[in-house]
Structures are given as C-alpha cells and as structure tokens.
C-alpha cells in the first residue's frame, strides 16, 4: 500500500522459536512437544529403542523353556523372579524373542525348579553386561522404526485499508498483534492434531489426499499399547499408580498426567490428606500442578487440557514427544496486490514424534463422570496444600 510501511515489511521471518515458546506456555498437551530433529521427508521416521523392561510375562513353561511376550528384552545371564515367589532363575539360552531357557539360580526359601516355574509375571532382578560389550550385546536393542506424516499449517494475519486509515495509536503493534493471534490459533490447532490427528499419507500429483499427522489417540491405542479400563470408577491415586506401574514395567518413567479440567479437580480432591501436593500458583480452586507418585516417589505434572475426553486420563512419559518441522513456521508478505490492506502469511509443515509410545503412554478410560464424582468427593473433604515457597525452601 503506497505510503505505508512497517518494521518487517518484505522480510521473511523464522517464527520457530516463537512457536515453541507459545506451545510451552499453553495449558495443553502440545506443551510436551520439544523441538526435535529437522524432518527431511514428508514421511518422518524414528528409531524405537526396546526399553529395558523390568518385567517379563511368561505364558508357557515346557521343562524349563519359557514362552515370553515378544516385547521383552531377554539376555543370557538375566536373573528373573516369578511374582509372589522367593525363587530366582537365570536365563541360560535365548532361542528367539519369544523363547528362553532358564535354570534355577536359587530357591531363597522356596521350592520351585526350572520345570515347575509358573506362568505369569516375572520381575527382572538383573541383566548383566559382558566385558567389552558392543551395541547389540547389552540389554537395550533397537526395536525397529515408527513413522508419521507431515502436515501443512497456514494462517493469515491481515489489516484492511479501513483499519490502517483509522486513527489508532500503535499501528505497528496492531499488525504484530494480529500475527500473535494467529500463532496462538495455530498452537491450539497443533494441540488438537497432537491429540486426535490421524496418520494420512499425501497422495496424487496434486496431493488430492493431503498429508496429515497422527496424534496420541492414533499411536497410543494401537495393538500392544497400555490401557486400563476404570469400569466407571472415580479417578484416584490408585488408578494413576496403576498406569504409572504399567509404564515402569515397560521401562518408561511416568511423570505426566494428562486429563480434562474436571478430572484434574478430582485428582486434587481425592489425594487430599493422603498425598501432599503443590497448588499451582497460577490458578484458583482444586486444580493442582504436581502430585507425588506413591509408587515411584517422583513428581507427576498434571496437564488439565479441555480437549481431552472427559472420561479419559493419560499417564505419560514426556520423553516420548517431539515436534519435527520439515518447513519451520515462518511469515512473509504474500504480495497480493488485489488485497485492500496489508497481510502476513504464516506457513509451516511438520509432524509429531511419538517415540516408544507403546511403552510410555497408558490410557485410563471409562472413568466416572467428573461432575458427579466431584460432588461426592466434596462431602466433608479437607484439602491440605503445601505452600510453594515453603516447599522450595525446605
């Protein structure tokens, strides 16, 4: 527009750092996505490590040859113990990913033999590493790759000629503000896609089927994923710990609780008097910021995201998530001479990485309605809150 200019006119700006800052500040799932490696293809692949599981599941025993779940990581010399028994066994042979031979290492007051070793869950007591080991001889193996597709996001920040000609103090700030508004909208759209997106490959000469990035519900509910049916129970610390334990047994470290605001309030009420928690100084009410996990003793951050299904809670290990850009978010002047005003176009193409998601996410579903559950929990409950400053000083 003749006679009008602004600070970043005709400049292409990389807004990746701004986008990351906005995402990190959101009270939503998207805040967990750290910036990962640059994507080099619309199909983005990543390695999944086979995490060092702390349990094995034995489904059959044939004279000391055990059939185990293929997701386990057996190595020769591993000491395992059947749940509820003092006896321990040593892995003598690894025939395949689903078959191992064991010998009795010690009864410890029990009476089992290799032939009578029971089916069910076994604890991994130790997994020795050979001297001078190399990659592949330890108990951490590559389990293969997974992938997601990139998706294009575009926004337009614009001011009409009328808005420009109207006397407004700080016109430059007005345009910057419009860009900021669009970036916040983009962050919310990224959050919805990170939760519910479906993995779709772009196909056709003109991409009639457009590439879309899969989200948590797509990856986390695949065959082999961790899940717990609450069967209508009210969310409490025991259910959360069940999810944490499931992740821990797979080798992950549960440190995030993702839920709706209603379920977050239930957590705040149900742990009162049982677990000391820190109240988030940015909100008022029964919301909590961090709860101490009674199994692991670690602090679990609660993200109350209103996009999460009200009957669901996800227990997560935040090491699973990263945001990978094929084309980092940037803005520029599109040069549309027909437009009656000024415009900044915002464009980016990227996808979400869910590394080892089947071991680092546990979906708890079928929970009681939050409103009804909260009403019952409010009956005579006293809330114990640790002051943030006192806790830090202590």
């Amino acid at each position: 527009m003749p006679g009008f200019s602004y600070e970043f006119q005709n400049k292409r700006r990389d807004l990746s750092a701004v986008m990351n800052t906005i995402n990190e500040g959101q009270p939503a799932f998207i805040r967990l996505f750290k910036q990962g490696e640059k994507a080099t293809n619309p199909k983005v692949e990543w390695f999944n490590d086979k995490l060092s599981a702390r349990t094995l599941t034995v489904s059959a025993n044939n004279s000391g040859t055990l059939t185990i779940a293929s997701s386990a990581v057996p190595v020769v010399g591993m000491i395992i113990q059947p749940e509820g028994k003092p006896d321990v066994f040593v892995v003598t042979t690894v025939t395949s990913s689903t078959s191992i031979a064991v010998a009795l290492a010690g009864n410890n007051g029990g009476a089992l033999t290799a032939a009578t070793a029971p089916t069910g869950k076994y604890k991994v007591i130790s997994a020795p590493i050979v001297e001078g080991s190399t990659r592949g001889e330890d108990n951490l193996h590559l389990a293969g790759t997974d992938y997601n597709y990139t998706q294009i996001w575009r926004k337009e920040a614009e001011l009409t000629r009328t808005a420009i000609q109207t006397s407004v103090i700080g016109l430059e700030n007005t345009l910057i503000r419009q860009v900021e508004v669009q970036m916040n909208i983009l962050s919310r759209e990224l959050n919805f896609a990170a939760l519910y997106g479906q993995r779709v490959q772009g196909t056709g000469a003109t991409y009639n089927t457009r590439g879309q990035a899969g989200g948590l519900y797509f990856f986390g509910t695949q065959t082999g994923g961790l899940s717990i049916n609450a069967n209508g129970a009210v969310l409490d610390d025991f259910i959360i710990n069940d999810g944490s334990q499931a992740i821990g047994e797979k080798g992950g470290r549960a440190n995030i609780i993702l839920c709706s605001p209603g379920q977050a309030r239930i957590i705040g009420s149900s742990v009162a008097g049982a677990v000391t928690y820190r109240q988030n100084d940015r909100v008022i009410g029964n919301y909590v910021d961090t709860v101490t996990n009674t199994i692991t003793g670690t602090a679990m951050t609660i993200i109350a995201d209103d996009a999460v299904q009200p009957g669901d809670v996800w227990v997560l290990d935040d090491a699973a998530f990263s945001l990978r850009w094929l084309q980092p978010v940037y803005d520029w002047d599109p040069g549309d001479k027909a437009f009656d005003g000024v415009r900044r176009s915002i464009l980016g193409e990227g996808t979400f990485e869910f590394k080892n998601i089947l071991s680092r996410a546990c979906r708890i579903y079928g929970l009681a309605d939050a409103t009804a559950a909260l009403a019952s929990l409010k009956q005579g409950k006293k809330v114990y809150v640790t002051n943030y400053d006192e806790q830090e000083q202590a």
Side-chain angles (χ1 to χ4, degrees):
M1 179 178 176
F4 176 77
S5 63
Y6 49 96
E7 182 181 354
F8 45 88
Q9 188 171 17
N10 298 323
K11 292 181 180 179
R12 172 171 161 151
R13 302 186 304 166
D14 187 335
L15 299 177
S16 300
V18 177
M19 190 79 259
N20 290 337
T21 300
I22 292 174
N23 288 342
E24 289 173 2
Q26 296 284 0
F29 178 48
I30 192 65
R31 67 185 291 185
L32 296 180
F33 286 82
K34 304 169 288 291
Q35 180 147 350
E37 297 180 6
K38 176 177 169 51
T40 57
N41 193 289
K43 181 180 180 180
V44 177
E45 296 182 292
W46 60 83
F47 283 115
N48 275 334
D49 291 328
K50 189 166 285 185
L51 300 177
S52 300
R54 298 208 294 265
T55 63
L56 302 180
T57 301
V58 175
S59 57
N61 179 0
N62 182 14
S63 301
T65 298
L66 308 182
T67 301
I68 62 173
S70 60
S71 60
V73 192
V75 294
V76 173
M78 178 181 283
I79 303 296
I80 61 176
Q81 180 185 46
E83 193 169 59
K85 301 291 185 180
D87 314 78
V88 292
F89 299 88
V90 59
V91 177
T92 58
T93 307
V94 178
T95 307
S96 69
S97 63
T98 60
S99 179
I100 60 174
V102 299
L104 180 68
N107 285 123
N108 299 327
L112 295 175
T113 65
T116 60
T119 58
K121 187 177 294 184
Y122 280 63
K123 297 178 183 178
V124 175
I125 304 301
S126 67
I129 306 298
V130 299
E131 183 178 352
S133 64
T134 61
R135 180 75 177 175
E137 295 173 339
D138 57 12
N139 61 340
L140 181 67
H141 302 270
L142 292 178
T145 61
D146 207 342
Y147 66 96
N148 207 351
Y149 290 109
T150 59
Q151 183 170 341
I152 297 172
W153 282 274
R154 179 167 184 156
K155 295 294 171 199
E156 305 289 337
E158 55 188 42
L159 286 172
T160 64
R161 180 189 294 269
T162 301
I164 293 170
Q165 292 180 332
T166 302
S167 179
V168 178
I169 297 176
L171 180 61
E172 175 65 22
N173 289 332
T174 302
L175 186 58
I176 293 175
R177 175 59 180 164
Q178 293 302 317
V179 173
E180 181 185 344
V181 167
Q182 295 303 317
M183 293 286 283
N184 275 283
I185 293 174
L186 175 57
S187 180
R188 290 195 294 272
E189 290 184 359
L190 286 170
N191 186 63
F192 277 107
L195 280 168
Y196 301 112
Q198 297 298 297
R199 183 175 65 189
V200 178
Q201 181 180 12
T203 59
T206 57
Y207 294 97
N208 296 324
T209 300
R210 299 164 185 176
Q212 296 185 60
L216 177 64
Y217 275 85
F218 175 85
F219 283 94
T221 60
Q222 294 183 59
T223 302
L226 302 174
S227 64
I228 296 172
N229 187 347
N231 291 311
V234 175
L235 179 64
D236 58 21
D237 194 44
F238 295 101
I239 297 176
I240 295 295
N241 286 337
D242 287 344
S244 301
Q245 186 172 7
I247 292 174
E249 291 175 351
K250 287 287 189 178
R253 177 180 176 273
N255 58 2
I256 300 293
I257 300 170
L258 175 68
C259 59
S260 67
Q263 297 295 350
R265 294 185 68 192
I266 291 174
I267 296 172
S269 297
S270 64
V271 300
V275 177
T276 301
Y277 63 90
R278 185 176 68 191
Q279 186 173 20
N280 188 333
D281 57 2
R282 293 167 296 179
V283 296
I284 298 174
N286 289 328
Y287 294 91
V288 296
D289 183 54
T290 304
V291 173
T292 301
N293 185 284
T294 58
I295 286 181
T296 65
T298 60
M300 300 188 71
T301 299
I302 297 175
I303 298 177
D305 187 337
D306 57 10
V308 177
Q309 292 299 304
D312 286 0
V313 167
W314 286 87
V315 181
L316 305 169
D317 178 347
D318 66 359
F321 311 106
S322 64
L323 185 58
R324 298 180 61 177
W325 294 105
L326 180 64
Q327 172 60 66
V329 178
Y330 67 96
D331 72 339
W332 80 101
D333 291 318
D336 185 358
K337 304 299 182 182
F339 177 63
D340 183 23
V342 294
R343 173 185 293 144
R344 294 291 289 184
S345 291
I346 303 168
L347 184 70
E349 181 176 1
T351 193
F352 311 105
E353 181 178 288
F354 294 87
K355 190 172 184 178
N356 293 92
I357 193 64
L358 299 184
S359 299
R360 287 175 164 153
C362 180
R363 180 191 175 204
I364 301 170
Y365 62 97
L367 289 162
D369 176 73
T371 302
L374 188 62
S376 63
L377 287 170
K378 286 170 65 178
Q379 302 298 322
K381 291 284 186 178
K382 183 178 180 181
V383 178
Y384 298 86
V385 179
T386 299
N387 180 271
Y388 176 85
D389 293 330
E390 290 179 356
Q391 189 177 55
E392 292 297 310
Q393 292 170 4

